[in-house]
Amino acid sequence: MSGFPTGVCVVTGVDGMGAPRGMTVSSLCSVSLDPPTLLVCLRAGSQTLAAALERGGFTVGAGRTHGDGLRQFRTWPAA
């Protein structure tokens, strides 16, 4: 995360029916390195939050300001 000072992130997941869900977020924080933990705020009632909680995880993609596309992080367990 130290190589990603700012930018836009995309949080994605798949709901119980297999439909993709996702949203952009402008605030993402690294909480700890061990274990690797991220903090991201998802709107209550959003389909992305429901999918993350239902399936127990989500994926974060981070875009850089230079337009070089998304860099995908790992899948994170939903807490």
Side-chain angles (χ1 to χ4, degrees):
M1 289 297 301
S2 65
F4 182 70
T6 187
V8 174
C9 294
V10 179
V11 175
T12 61
V14 178
D15 69 15
M17 301 295 287
R21 303 292 179 202
M23 63 190 300
T24 58
V25 296
S26 59
S27 181
L28 176 79
C29 299
S30 176
V31 176
S32 73
L33 293 174
D34 189 21
T37 305
L38 291 177
L39 171 67
V40 54
C41 297
L42 304 179
R43 183 180 54 84
S46 76
Q47 294 177 347
T48 306
L49 175 59
L53 294 173
E54 182 177 10
R55 297 289 281 236
F58 58 92
T59 300
V60 175
R64 300 180 72 176
T65 58
H66 302 297
D68 61 352
L70 289 179
R71 189 185 326 175
Q72 185 170 337
F73 295 122
R74 58 177 290 234
T75 299
W76 302 92

